[in-house]
Each structure stands twice: as structure tokens, then as C-alpha cells.
């Protein structure tokens, strides 16, 4: 029987320990641990999203903003201002705010005299305040994107991969969000408010970055314009334009009256009102290529020959991009896939192909400081 020398065992053990304690081993151990932490982070990413939804539903950004010109306030002051709260639990609110402070949604200040912590707004939460001069309120959009309808459908994504078909339809038995909106008045209002919210953000950037694009127009149709918020803002800035807001009957039924804007109910898959130019804000990303070509061909029939153009406001994906909104574009692409019939975000090459098939062989992309870009397209 072979007997190993104690001296050799000692050398082997020492070498093994040194190897295990080497920089490379430390690096691999660190990577493994970081990988585990990353999975935990993704596992509970929904907590961030829904904790912020809770804060919006409780109107906490508005409560802080309305208190002394937005000066920080205590939890006791916040909870005393929450509507319809017969027995509020301040310990729950404290824990929610603790997380949202860590996520830089709210700020916290600990007074030197040992008094209650003071909670304030940050550049993020100011986007959730009503009536702010500098920021557009994103609350309505946030609430629609975190609604149970849109979130619930994600649980059927793997089933869609296996079987084909849209996750939203598997979840709710409806072909699209608009089917549900036409039957659920509360959801319809929330959806329209959310879309109006994006319009308010975009019009500010469009007026600044695309102001020459409206100068020569006499008439403009906002195709799928919701309740008309965006076209009304354009007409305010360019009163020489005759504005037409065009959407489905159940949407137009809730649209308010705006100066210089006519509301027309209809279906863009059948016919679109005539005008010098047509605006499609976040419309084509809702549909597959075949449906988009049909819409584009109807647009081509509706615009004036001499100065006619199509103004598309939508995401242009940057496959290798690392700019501010690029990651959000790819997340939105999956959101479209899950909740819309054939919906997708597109790269410039995909937009080019789509526009050519729809009768718009010439185009240019105009960058604005937003998630979306402007694609100005011209007929043959």
C-alpha cells in the first residue's frame, strides 16, 4: 500500500489553499455572488414598480408639492392628507417610503434636533405632480401601464412562446386593450388620460424641436388622437391649422370641446379624413406590419398631393444604443408584444421597409428629447 509523505500532503494542501485564495478565484467567487444578487433584484423588480403605484394612488407627490411650495414634510403630515383613509397605518407608509427613498423617488432629511424625518420630492417624483410648471404629470400613464389588465397578461408570455398568439388574449379572452376599453368605462377613461399624458409631454418637445414642420400646414388630422389633447395643443401653438381629432366612436364620445378642433369618429382601417398632413402618435407600434401597411395606404389616400406628409411619433430602436431611453424602447417592444395584436417597436430599417410598402418611400428621422422620435414621411 502506498503511503503518502506528510511533507507532500502539506505542500499539496498549501498549494490548493493558495489557488483557492488567488485573485482569479476571488474574482470568480465575486461574479457568482453578483449573479445571485442580480437574480434577486430581477425577482423583486415588480416591488419597485408597484410601491410607486401605491404612492401615486395615495397622491403622495401631490401632497408634498401642495405643502408650503413643495417643502419636505413628515409622514404624519402626509398621512393626514390622504383622502378616504379612515384608519391609516403609518408604519406601512413608512416602509413604503423607505424603499422609494432608496430608489431616489423621494428624498429624506433627518433634522439635527432629532425630530421626525422630512420627505421631499426629487427630479423623478416631480414628474408625478399635478400642476407643475416645469414637469408634465406622468401619473395617469404610470397607472395605466401598471393596471391589472396590462400586468396580468405577462403571466401568459411563456404560453405565447410555446403556442403562438397574444398573451393579452390568453389572459382576458379579448383581442386587444380597445375591446376591454369599449366595455369598461373606468378603464377607458384611465387609458385615455394616460394617452393624453404622453401627448402633453410630446407636444412641448415637438413645438420646440419640430416647429417648422407645422408652419406650412392648413389642416392636420391626429389619427388615433384619443380625446384630442395633442391636436388641441398643436392648434393653440399654430392657430392657422384646422385640427381634426380622429378616433373610434367610444373614444370620441368622451372627448371634450377644444377651440379649433373637430372630433370625427371612425376607423383608420377603413377611411381617414383628408388633410394636408396626418399625425400618428404611438399608433403604428400597436400593430403588425400587415395592419400598418393598410393604415399607411389609407393615410396615403387622405393627404394632399402638394404639401402632404405623414408625421409619425414613435420609438426608433437603436440595437447598439446606450442613450437615455434606449433600454426603455426594448422593454416597450415586449410590452407591445404582450398586450397588442402584433404590436412592436421598430428599428430604422424596419420603419424604412414599412413606409415603402405603405406608399411613403422618402422619410427623415428627427430626434427630440423623448422616448419617441419624429419620422417625417413623404408620398411618392
Amino acid at each position: 500500500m502506498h503511503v503518502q509523505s506528510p511533507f507532500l500532503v502539506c505542500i499539496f494542501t498549501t498549494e490548493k489553499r493558495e489557488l483557492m485564495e488567488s485573485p482569479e478565484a476571488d474574482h470568480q467567487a465575486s461574479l457568482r455572488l453578483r449573479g445571485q444578487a442580480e437574480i434577486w433584484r430581477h425577482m423583486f423588480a415588480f416591488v419597485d414598480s408597484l410601491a410607486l403605484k401605491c404612492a401615486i394612488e395615495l397622491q403622495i407627490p401631490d401632497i408634498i408639492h401642495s405643502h408650503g411650495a413643495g417643502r419636505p414634510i413628515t409622514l404624519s403630515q402626509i398621512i393626514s392628507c390622504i383622502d378616504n383613509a379612515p384608519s391609516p397605518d403609518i408604519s406601512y407608509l413608512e416602509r413604503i417610503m423607505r424603499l422609494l427613498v432608496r430608489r431616489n423617488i423621494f428624498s429624506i432629511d433627518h433634522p439635527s434636533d432629532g425630530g421626525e424625518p422630512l420627505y421631499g420630492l426629487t427630479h423623478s417624483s416631480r414628474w408625478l405632480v399635478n400642476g407643475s410648471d416645469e414637469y408634465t404629470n406622468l401619473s395617469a400613464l404610470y397607472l395605466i401601464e401598471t393596471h391589472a389588465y396590462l400586468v396580468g397578461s405577462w403571466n401568459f408570455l411563456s404560453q405565447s412562446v410555446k403556442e403562438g398568439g397574444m398573451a393579452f388574449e390568453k389572459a382576458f379572452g379579448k383581442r386587444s386593450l380597445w375591446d376591454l376599453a369599449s366595455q369598461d368605462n373606468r378603464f377607458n377613461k384611465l387609458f385615455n388620460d394616460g394617452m393624453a399624458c404622453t401627448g402633453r409631454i410630446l407636444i412641448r418637445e415637438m413645438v420646440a424641436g419640430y416647429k417648422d414642420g407645422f408652419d406650412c400646414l392648413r389642416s392636420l388630422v391626429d389619427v388615433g388622437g384619443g380625446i384630442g389633447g395633442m391636436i388641441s395643443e398643436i392648434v393653440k401653438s399654430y392657430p392657422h391649422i384646422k385640427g381634426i381629432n380622429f378616433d373610434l366612436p367610444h373614444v370620441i364620445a368622451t372627448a371634450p370641446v377644444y377651440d379649433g378642433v373637430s372630433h370625427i369618429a371612425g376607423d383608420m382601417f377603413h377611411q381617414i379624413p383628408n388633410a394636408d398632413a396626418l399625425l400618428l402618435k404611438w399608433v403604428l407600434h400597436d400593430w403588425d406590419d400587415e395592419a400598418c401597411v393598410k393604415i399607411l395606404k389609407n393615410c396615403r389616400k387622405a393627404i394632399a398631393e402638394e404639401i402632404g406628409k405623414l408625421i409619425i411619433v414613435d420609438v426608433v430602436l437603436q440595437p447598439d444604443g446606450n442613450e437615455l431611453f434606449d433600454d426603455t424602447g426594448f422593454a416597450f417592444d415586449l410590452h407591445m408584444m404582450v398586450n397588442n395584436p402584433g404590436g412592436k417597436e421598430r428599428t430604422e430599417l424596419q420603419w424604412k421597409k414599412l413606409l415603402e410598402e405603405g406608399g411613403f418611400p422618402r422619410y427623415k428621422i428627427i430626434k427630440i428629447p423623448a422616448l419617441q422620435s419624429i419620422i417625417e414621411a413623404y408620398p411618392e
Side-chain angles (χ1 to χ4, degrees):
M1 182 177 70
H2 175 72
V3 178
Q4 198 168 37
S5 163
F7 177 70
L8 292 176
V9 170
C10 179
I11 291 174
F12 176 76
T13 304
T14 301
E15 287 180 346
K16 184 177 180 182
R17 184 169 62 248
E18 287 175 351
L19 180 64
M20 290 177 65
E21 293 174 354
S22 70
E24 178 60 26
D26 289 345
H27 178 64
Q28 291 301 320
S30 176
L31 287 178
R32 286 195 298 273
L33 194 60
R34 285 175 180 272
Q36 183 191 151
E38 188 73 6
I39 295 302
W40 279 104
R41 186 178 69 81
H42 287 296
M43 193 186 308
F44 289 103
F46 74 94
V47 174
D48 293 354
S49 180
L50 297 184
L52 181 51
K53 179 184 181 182
C54 170
I56 294 171
E57 290 174 333
L58 296 174
Q59 299 182 310
I60 291 173
D62 284 332
I63 290 170
I64 296 174
H65 177 72
S66 62
H67 178 85
R71 289 198 306 271
I73 59 176
T74 66
L75 280 183
S76 301
Q77 290 171 310
I78 291 172
I79 210 160
S80 69
C81 296
I82 295 174
D83 291 335
N84 302 314
S87 53
D89 191 318
I90 196 167
S91 66
Y92 281 9
L93 182 59
E94 181 181 18
R95 290 158 68 183
I96 292 165
M97 294 297 284
R98 179 173 61 184
L99 176 68
L100 295 178
V101 166
R102 286 185 64 87
R103 299 297 182 260
N104 297 315
I105 301 299
F106 298 104
S107 65
I108 189 169
D109 178 48
H110 297 278
S112 57
D113 63 3
E116 283 190 72
L118 299 168
Y119 294 86
L121 299 173
T122 65
H123 287 299
S124 296
S125 48
R126 289 184 190 281
W127 285 96
L128 304 171
V129 170
N130 281 302
S132 171
D133 294 331
E134 268 189 273
Y135 296 79
T136 302
N137 185 5
L138 281 170
S139 292
L141 181 62
Y142 195 99
L143 291 177
I144 193 65
E145 297 298 354
T146 53
H147 191 280
Y149 288 156
L150 277 75
V151 174
S153 53
W154 282 86
N155 292 301
F156 293 81
L157 180 55
S158 58
Q159 191 175 332
S160 291
V161 173
K162 292 177 181 178
E163 305 169 355
M166 191 173 64
F168 186 87
E169 188 171 16
K170 294 178 186 295
F172 301 107
K174 303 291 183 183
R175 180 62 179 153
S176 71
L177 284 172
W178 303 287
D179 291 338
L180 274 178
S182 66
Q183 299 168 11
D184 184 334
N185 291 334
R186 190 173 177 182
F187 178 71
N188 183 48
K189 182 181 185 310
L190 189 61
F191 184 85
N192 290 336
D193 288 347
M195 294 304 98
C197 170
T198 66
R200 286 190 293 273
I201 293 174
L202 285 169
I203 189 57
R204 183 175 61 191
E205 304 304 343
M206 288 181 71
V207 168
Y210 186 66
K211 53 187 176 183
D212 296 338
F214 295 115
D215 285 342
C216 63
L217 302 179
R218 298 161 300 186
S219 57
L220 176 66
V221 177
D222 190 352
V223 181
I227 56 176
M230 187 160 189
I231 188 68
S232 71
E233 292 298 322
I234 293 173
V235 170
K236 276 184 193 175
S237 299
Y238 301 89
H240 66 278
I241 294 177
K242 175 188 175 184
I244 299 169
N245 182 51
F246 179 68
D247 213 311
L248 294 168
H250 75 269
V251 177
I252 294 299
T254 65
V257 175
Y258 301 104
D259 290 339
V261 175
S262 302
H263 295 293
I264 297 180
D267 187 337
M268 62 187 173
F269 287 102
H270 295 148
Q271 187 175 13
I272 295 171
N274 295 327
D276 290 343
L278 307 181
L279 173 66
L280 291 96
K281 174 188 71 72
W282 260 8
V283 171
L284 297 178
H285 77 159
D286 289 331
W287 303 96
D288 62 22
D289 289 357
E290 183 181 355
C292 285
V293 168
K294 189 170 184 178
I295 295 168
L296 288 169
K297 286 182 176 179
N298 285 340
C299 289
R300 177 65 187 86
K301 294 174 188 175
I303 62 174
E305 289 290 339
E306 306 83 11
I307 58 173
K309 64 181 176 181
L310 191 58
I311 305 166
I312 299 169
V313 184
D314 230 317
V315 172
V316 179
L317 288 178
Q318 304 293 330
D320 300 315
N322 58 3
E323 294 184 6
L324 201 56
F325 293 105
D326 286 338
D327 277 354
T328 305
F330 288 98
F332 232 105
D333 178 52
L334 292 191
H335 173 59
M336 291 294 102
M337 180 179 73
V338 167
N339 289 304
N340 292 74
K344 64 172 78 171
E345 305 297 352
R346 295 173 170 91
T347 64
E348 181 176 350
L349 286 177
Q350 290 172 315
W351 278 115
K352 183 176 185 292
K353 181 175 183 294
L354 203 64
L355 290 167
E356 286 175 349
E357 292 178 6
F360 295 88
R362 296 184 297 118
Y363 73 92
K364 64 180 179 181
I365 295 175
I366 302 164
K367 292 277 192 180
I368 56 175
L371 171 62
Q372 304 91 336
S373 296
I374 297 170
I375 307 171
E376 193 176 69
Y378 317 95
E380 297 169 322

